Amino acid sequence: MIKIATVFGTRPEILKLSSLMPLLDKSFDHVMVHTNQHYSYNLDKVFFDQLKLRKPNFNLNVGSGTHAEQASKVMERLEKILLEQEPDVVIVNGDTNSTMAAGITAAKLKIPLVHSEAGPRAFNKRIAEEINRIIVDHCSDILLAPHTVAYDNLLNEGIPKENICLVGDPIVSCALRARKMGQNSSIMKQLDIKRHEYVLVTVHHAEITNDIKILKEVIEAINDISKIIKIVFPMHPRTGKFLKSNNITLNKSIKVIEPQGYLEFINLLDNSLFVMSDSGGIQSESVALNVPCLILRPLTEWILYIKAGKNMLIGDNHDSIVSKVKDLLSDDYNIKKMRSTKFHMIKDSDERAINILKNRFK
Ligand code: UD1
């Protein structure tokens, strides 16, 4: 039987692999390796509980640190496991330090590498995730593209066509499943909020949190918007730390809450009027749920949703964010139009990935 090792380490990787991993258990000898780049209950274990995932076979206990510290710990510890386990294939997802380090380790051991969510590009190598994506894509033997733009990016970078497979974005089926599972969640009641009466906000990317000027602009804009409409803000630990250490405060009326479980988060997203975020995954989830996503960045790797009129880039400076939000809120039609615009999303990316693996590794 073909032996497959899946390596993951953070919240988005766990979510995006959550539907694929049980299918791998059924069809292959499957080993799960958690790097533990994310380790707290809110960013890690809650997803195993809610999505009924089995325990990983190995934990690398990497934790937080600089990019080089995280990557080197993953490489050193994963290499031992791969040498001992001798998998026929390694699968990684996305763009984190865990993804990049695991990808290089497998490639150097000449183990065929599959990259799920291959090909999105912001065309800016100052973004840590962009570097990670490019490295893993160019080490991979099978590249599972989440959308047509990602597919074309890979072709343009000279990756052989036969190695690229368009399977769709794995977060789509995950979000739709979570909407059903979490429909009776009490989170809205607990927060005393009603459908379409609030905006959901998340901020955690280093491009914002690690630049005090940008962080201040974004937070000031969020404070100003909170004077017009209710805001719910699940706070990533990275953002919480930077706000505290730079004495940047949020208006009292903003409901700042802990990072949420997936069912609660999707319930909050589904019921929001719109979401403002710098996250990649939320951009796809909001299209799947027909919730407009206003992206707190000057660029995005998921440009096709902007072109389709489902999402909108609002930048990372105060004036641009506030004026675009005010424009949007000035006429009910604007939000209705973004919601009702049709956009086709592939919903069976995991089944497609399994079929590709079965065909390629017999
Ligand atoms: C990482 C990924 C990013 C992904 C994000 C999702 C990289 C380069 N970045 O950023 O692509 O979108 O995960 O969250 O890999 N922390 C906790 N508890 C945890 C994990 C982290 O408190 O469970 C704190 C740590 O103290 C650390 C900070 O959050 O200082 C940042 O952790 P890090 O591992 O760099 O990841 P993220 O910022 O979350």
Side-chain angles (χ1 to χ4, degrees):
M1 200 181 200
I2 296 290
K3 187 172 193 175
I4 295 187
T6 312
V7 189
F8 53 88
T10 67
R11 171 168 71 175
E13 295 157 76
I14 298 165
L15 290 171
K16 289 167 185 172
L17 291 167
S18 66
S19 306
L20 183 67
M21 290 195 292
L23 297 178
L24 290 170
D25 276 342
K26 279 188 198 152
S27 302
F28 298 95
D29 178 6
H30 178 218
V31 177
M32 282 162 60
V33 184
H34 194 335
T35 71
N36 314 103
Q37 178 177 336
H38 283 180
Y39 45 82
S40 53
Y41 184 77
N42 298 355
L43 294 196
D44 170 24
K45 294 183 190 62
V46 63
F47 306 114
F48 283 82
D49 292 348
Q50 289 190 335
L51 301 173
K52 302 185 178 25
L53 292 175
R54 72 167 167 88
K55 276 197 179 139
N57 301 77
F58 299 95
N59 287 289
L60 305 184
N61 298 316
V62 164
S64 45
T66 66
H67 290 232
E69 281 165 354
Q70 284 182 327
S72 55
K73 281 182 190 165
V74 170
M75 290 169 83
E76 213 181 320
R77 295 173 193 181
L78 180 64
E79 187 181 57
K80 288 196 181 84
I81 291 170
L82 295 181
L83 284 171
E84 176 201 301
Q85 290 292 314
E86 298 184 333
D88 301 293
V89 183
V90 168
I91 302 179
V92 293
N93 166 280
D95 57 17
T96 70
N97 290 338
S98 292
T99 313
M100 184 270 291
I104 293 180
T105 310
K108 291 270 179 107
L109 292 174
K110 301 186 177 60
I111 304 169
L113 178 64
V114 177
H115 188 199
S116 149
E117 208 188 89
R121 296 285 183 268
F123 303 101
N124 181 343
K125 283 191 195 152
R126 297 184 65 84
I127 302 170
E129 287 80 1
E130 179 98 341
I131 302 170
N132 291 342
R133 261 187 234 113
I134 292 172
I135 292 173
V136 182
D137 284 341
H138 286 263
C139 288
S140 293
D141 300 280
I142 296 182
L143 299 95
L144 304 176
H147 50 63
T148 48
V149 178
Y151 185 96
D152 291 341
N153 289 339
L154 295 168
L155 276 183
N156 291 339
E157 289 176 19
I159 304 227
K161 194 173 181 176
E162 58 274 21
N163 294 359
I164 316 171
C165 309
L166 178 66
V167 296
D169 187 337
I171 201 67
V172 173
S173 59
C174 185
L176 295 174
R177 190 158 59 103
R179 171 158 66 179
K180 264 195 205 147
M181 288 167 79
Q183 60 194 355
N184 297 323
S185 158
S186 61
I187 186 71
M188 305 266 298
K189 215 171 176 185
Q190 282 170 42
L191 295 173
D192 191 23
I193 47 174
K194 295 204 170 67
R195 183 167 168 81
H196 293 182
E197 285 185 3
Y198 66 93
V199 172
L200 187 64
V201 174
T202 80
V203 174
H204 78 271
H205 268 253
E207 295 144 74
I208 295 182
T209 59
N210 293 18
D211 184 320
I212 301 173
K213 188 176 166 289
I214 297 181
L215 183 62
K216 273 190 180 153
E217 294 243 355
V218 169
I219 298 297
E220 264 172 41
I222 293 169
N223 279 338
D224 283 348
I225 294 162
S226 74
K227 292 171 196 154
I228 321 171
I229 183 156
K230 267 186 201 166
I231 289 184
V232 177
F233 192 161
M235 181 68 69
H236 189 286
R238 161 199 279 288
T239 314
K241 258 187 235 169
F242 278 94
L243 291 184
K244 205 170 165 197
S245 61
N246 291 295
N247 279 324
I248 304 172
T249 52
L250 281 157
N251 278 355
K252 292 241 153 44
S253 65
I254 298 174
K255 291 183 190 280
V256 179
I257 55 177
E258 291 290 308
Q260 294 296 295
Y262 197 55
L263 305 190
E264 292 78 12
F265 185 81
I266 288 295
N267 196 274
L268 286 172
L269 177 61
D270 193 30
N271 285 296
S272 66
L273 185 63
F274 59 87
V275 59
M276 296 200 295
S277 177
D278 60 351
S279 150
I282 292 174
Q283 293 174 46
S284 293
E285 289 165 335
S286 52
V287 174
L289 302 176
N290 282 311
V291 175
C293 178
L294 278 54
I295 302 155
L296 291 165
R297 296 175 69 194
L299 41 77
T300 176
E301 297 80 3
W302 308 85
I303 195 79
L304 72 171
Y305 304 144
I306 312 281
K307 289 190 176 153
K310 293 299 285 175
N311 292 345
M312 193 193 277
L313 276 173
I314 60 168
D316 56 8
N317 72 76
H318 173 273
D319 294 354
S320 151
I321 299 170
V322 173
S323 75
K324 290 204 165 114
V325 169
K326 280 188 176 165
D327 272 358
L328 188 73
L329 288 171
S330 66
D331 188 343
D332 281 354
Y333 174 76
N334 296 335
I335 293 178
K336 276 190 191 140
K337 185 162 184 284
M338 289 176 85
R339 281 183 180 277
S340 59
T341 297
K342 295 266 178 285
F343 186 87
H344 172 71
M345 291 188 120
I346 299 173
K347 298 193 177 74
D348 60 348
S349 66
D350 304 299
E351 288 77 9
R352 290 180 185 217
I354 287 286
N355 286 336
I356 290 162
L357 293 169
K358 281 183 180 167
N359 279 331
R360 298 273 177 116
F361 304 103
K362 286 177 188 153

